[in-house]
Amino acid sequence: MMNSYKLFRFFSRLITIGLCSGFLANSALSHGADLSDKKIVIAHRGASGYLPEHTIAAKAMAYAMGADYVEQDLVMTRDDRIIVLHDHHLDQVTNVRDVFPDRARKDGKYYVIDFTLAELEKLSVIERFEVSDGQHTPVFKDRFPLEESKFKIHTFEEEIELVQGLNKSMGRDIGIYPEIKSADFHRQEGKDISRAVLKILKAYGYTKKTDKIYLQSFEPPELKRIHDDLLPEMGMDIKLVQLLWPADDGEWIKKKGSIKEIAEYADGIGPKMSMIISEESVVGNIQTTGLVSRAHAAGLVVHPYTFRVENTEIPAYAENYTDLLHIFLFQFGVDGVFTDFTDRTVDFLKSSSK
Ligand code: G3P
Ligand code: CA
């Protein structure tokens, strides 16, 4: 059964699709057509193009740049606290090897769940790096320098307080976009991360569809559990987004009925860019998978990831970052984007609306 919010989105999409079906069918739209409600800019891990991801500094910067939503990836500590970090291990964004040299598991990794919050607070958060032969190499060489990185891990509550505090002091009302990471891994470790996250959301007033929050997960069974069991049990009904990863979901999502299945429990999808535009596309010959129009027809919003300005991150079919945004937001009509570069994306949308 669709609730009233879903019905509203469903009919607004139907009207949009009805008006635009002629050229949606071709998926080769003229530049400049804005077919949807307000497009949203989601600050992916904060202003992570400029400051180490998921630090409070990166979140404050993204806020100041004009993000509509700030993203939090969430994992759980040994003492059941929820912290904001992309992975359930610490290896690529902290100095854990230096501070706790003997706390790695047999696979050589340092797991958040093996540390208390007090221990994690002793670490420095560092610009993301790869380790090879004991050497640290930044993933993005022109971003914040590794050697200058001395930021701290913080809790989900601290980040919500930052966003809500800035909403008050800046007179704005931006949202949060938390992702429950590795629910299955947490369960195997005896932790129910989803329940713990929902408890925090409820305490901070995020309880209804109209609240400024999207809750996301890559795990369909977990998102269904949140929708079917946890939200009703906790008296909550917030917007849910099913993330999609090509290796896991790429073939399944092409099948008839897959989108309808998602629409039964979620309000939107978060696909990788390549699930919307084929990577074989070139400038002037863009091949769409049709995912956006299928999702819109089912009443789902579409928020693809991850938009970055570095040359290595611009697909062959786009001339540059602005062109890439134009293609996704206005040619193919996605409803928002996850970006490391909130400033460039906000500027693009402002100039497009003139
Ligand atoms: O959550 C959507 C976006 O963040 C892409 O996933 O791997 O960066 O958390 P990831
Ligand atoms: Ca994420």
Side-chain angles (χ1 to χ4, degrees):
M1 280 285 286
M2 277 195 188
N3 58 31
S4 55
Y5 173 82
K6 270 202 183 155
L7 273 175
F8 166 77
R9 288 224 57 102
F10 178 70
F11 284 117
S12 63
R13 288 293 173 209
L14 269 188
I15 291 164
T16 302
I17 287 158
L19 289 172
C20 309
S21 56
F23 45 89
L24 270 176
N26 294 327
S27 298
L29 315 185
S30 62
H31 279 196
D34 183 354
L35 309 177
S36 72
D37 308 326
K38 183 185 180 316
K39 314 279 186 185
I40 63 166
V41 179
I42 307 153
H44 179 248
R45 311 182 198 174
S48 51
Y50 304 100
L51 281 162
E53 67 185 48
H54 284 318
T55 57
I56 280 287
K59 302 308 170 84
M61 191 175 189
Y63 193 108
M65 287 172 162
D68 297 298
Y69 284 80
V70 177
E71 192 204 21
Q72 302 81 31
D73 292 310
L74 301 174
V75 293
M76 206 163 183
T77 69
R78 186 165 129 199
D79 52 345
D80 298 335
R81 299 298 302 272
I82 301 291
I83 62 162
V84 183
L85 205 73
H86 182 260
D87 305 304
H88 59 270
H89 50 81
L90 296 151
D91 305 52
Q92 286 186 277
V93 290
T94 73
N95 62 342
V96 66
R97 281 179 200 80
D98 301 334
V99 182
F100 298 104
D102 56 353
R103 296 276 296 273
R105 289 195 184 185
K106 281 185 185 147
D107 63 4
K109 289 187 178 167
Y110 294 81
Y111 286 75
V112 172
I113 210 156
D114 294 337
F115 294 85
T116 62
L117 177 61
E119 288 174 327
L120 293 167
E121 285 173 341
K122 293 182 180 150
L123 303 179
S124 289
V125 176
I126 299 172
E127 179 65 32
R128 179 167 285 273
F129 57 87
E130 312 273 11
V131 188
S132 171
D133 296 331
Q135 296 294 310
H136 292 184
T137 312
V139 171
F140 296 99
K141 69 179 175 54
D142 293 326
R143 294 194 180 181
F144 202 85
L146 297 186
E147 59 276 12
E148 302 297 333
S149 297
K150 291 188 186 64
F151 301 88
K152 291 290 172 190
I153 283 175
H154 62 272
T155 63
F156 187 32
E157 291 94 322
E158 284 167 330
E159 184 155 334
I160 293 175
E161 286 169 17
L162 176 83
V163 171
Q164 294 190 344
L166 285 169
N167 275 345
K168 178 166 183 282
S169 58
M170 302 281 290
R172 294 178 59 203
D173 184 23
I174 81 158
I176 59 171
Y177 210 125
E179 177 185 347
I180 293 174
K181 283 288 182 192
S182 313
D184 206 35
F185 165 82
H186 283 91
R187 191 162 18 255
Q188 285 163 26
E189 299 284 327
K191 309 266 190 210
D192 186 348
I193 184 172
S194 298
R195 190 179 290 276
V197 167
L198 290 176
K199 223 169 138 185
I200 293 170
L201 290 176
K202 188 169 183 179
Y204 281 89
Y206 298 99
T207 59
K208 311 182 295 298
K209 291 276 190 206
T210 48
D211 290 332
K212 286 285 188 81
I213 178 171
Y214 287 93
L215 181 63
Q216 41 166 346
S217 166
F218 273 107
E219 294 162 280
E222 192 63 13
L223 212 56
K224 277 184 215 165
R225 173 181 173 245
I226 290 169
H227 175 268
D228 295 350
D229 303 333
L230 296 184
L231 290 178
E233 190 186 309
M234 297 177 75
M236 299 167 71
D237 188 19
I238 56 176
K239 296 184 289 295
L240 303 177
V241 167
Q242 179 63 64
L243 297 173
L244 300 169
W245 177 247
D248 296 337
D249 311 305
E251 288 310 308
W252 174 76
I253 201 71
K254 291 177 194 160
K255 290 189 180 154
K256 200 169 172 219
S258 56
I259 291 284
K260 190 162 165 264
E261 207 178 296
I262 294 174
E264 280 168 13
Y265 62 88
D267 305 279
I269 55 171
K272 194 163 192 267
M273 285 192 285
S274 62
M275 298 176 83
I276 292 175
I277 297 179
S278 158
E279 282 176 338
E280 278 81 57
S281 297
V282 292
V283 172
N285 184 13
I286 295 178
Q287 307 290 326
T288 179
T289 62
L291 182 59
V292 178
S293 43
R294 286 175 65 215
H296 282 174
L300 296 169
V301 295
V302 183
H303 298 156
Y305 62 89
T306 301
F307 289 71
R308 300 181 167 113
V309 304
E310 285 93 349
N311 287 340
T312 51
E313 303 294 311
I314 306 293
Y317 53 81
E319 308 262 11
N320 51 39
Y321 187 66
T322 303
D323 191 35
L324 182 67
L325 290 175
H326 203 119
I327 291 166
F328 274 88
L329 287 160
F330 295 134
Q331 282 188 241
F332 292 98
V334 303
D335 306 281
V337 293
F338 285 90
T339 177
D340 290 359
F341 294 87
T342 289
D343 55 343
R344 296 278 303 272
T345 313
V346 167
D347 286 351
F348 168 79
L349 283 171
K350 273 188 195 149
S351 64
S352 301
S353 68
K354 280 178 190 160

